[in-house]
Amino acid sequence: METAERRELWVEEPVGRRRLPDPVRTAAVRAVLITALTLIQAMVAFFCTVTASWLAFPMVLTSVGSTVVATWSVLDVWVTRQVWNQRHGVVSTPSSTARRLRRERRRAQRAARAEARAAARSEARGTAREAARGSARSSARIPGRQGAGDNRLSRA
């Protein structure tokens, strides 16, 4: 008996991380294989040394060289990843710390510039007002009359 609902053999599930780019994945696979072979070679060198085999000395020398190559291959993965990110760009998420800090810094700079502009405007207005008041006072004064310094009309 077959049920009405067939279950798929292969079900794709969303993965939390994105797949590595091809060059980076290739370098990573190469590094894992080289590191695995280096570890096997180091084990063989150790056992040959314990059993006092004639093969111990050449194995130790080659495992030292393999360790250098394995280190180089791991660094190659890191460099390949950096180059890939530099050439193809990194998709940064909005919650990125660096982006948030940059945004806050820009807001603070804008606010400081706006305050400086407002202060300059008010200072310019103040000097313009005083200049206007000075010219109005000098032209509106009646000669010989004192005490009418502020040029206001009386309320009487």
Side-chain angles (χ1 to χ4, degrees):
M1 286 186 151
E2 205 172 302
T3 61
E5 184 181 314
R6 284 184 63 170
R7 189 170 174 194
E8 294 288 323
L9 182 63
W10 184 269
V11 179
E12 296 254 347
E13 294 179 7
V15 181
R17 297 178 104 185
R18 263 189 251 131
R19 185 174 157 162
L20 284 173
D22 287 338
V24 179
R25 194 170 345 106
T26 305
V29 168
R30 186 174 40 237
V32 166
L33 289 175
I34 290 172
T35 305
L37 288 175
T38 301
L39 288 173
I40 291 170
Q41 191 173 10
M43 258 183 12
V44 169
F46 172 74
F47 288 132
C48 286
T49 305
V50 168
T51 57
S53 171
W54 66 270
L55 199 55
F57 183 67
M59 286 300 286
V60 168
L61 286 179
T62 56
S63 53
V64 168
S66 294
T67 303
V68 171
V69 171
T71 305
W72 191 266
S73 68
V74 170
L75 282 174
D76 179 49
V77 173
W78 182 70
V79 168
T80 307
R81 188 174 144 267
Q82 295 298 326
V83 167
W84 176 267
N85 286 341
Q86 204 169 28
R87 286 186 184 162
H88 301 285
V90 181
V91 179
S92 51
T93 59
S95 63
S96 169
T97 306
R99 183 180 273 188
R100 184 172 42 88
L101 290 175
R102 248 183 283 128
R103 190 177 297 136
E104 289 173 6
R105 202 175 311 126
R106 270 190 246 122
R107 281 185 190 148
Q109 287 172 350
R110 279 190 213 121
R113 272 184 266 149
E115 283 180 27
R117 269 188 255 123
R121 264 192 242 126
S122 66
E123 188 177 309
R125 284 181 188 156
T127 56
R129 281 184 191 150
E130 285 182 24
R133 280 185 196 154
S135 64
R137 283 183 189 161
S138 63
S139 64
R141 277 205 181 152
I142 301 170
R145 187 165 175 209
Q146 294 181 359
D150 61 5
N151 218 8
R152 290 188 186 171
L153 295 174
S154 64
R155 296 188 179 177

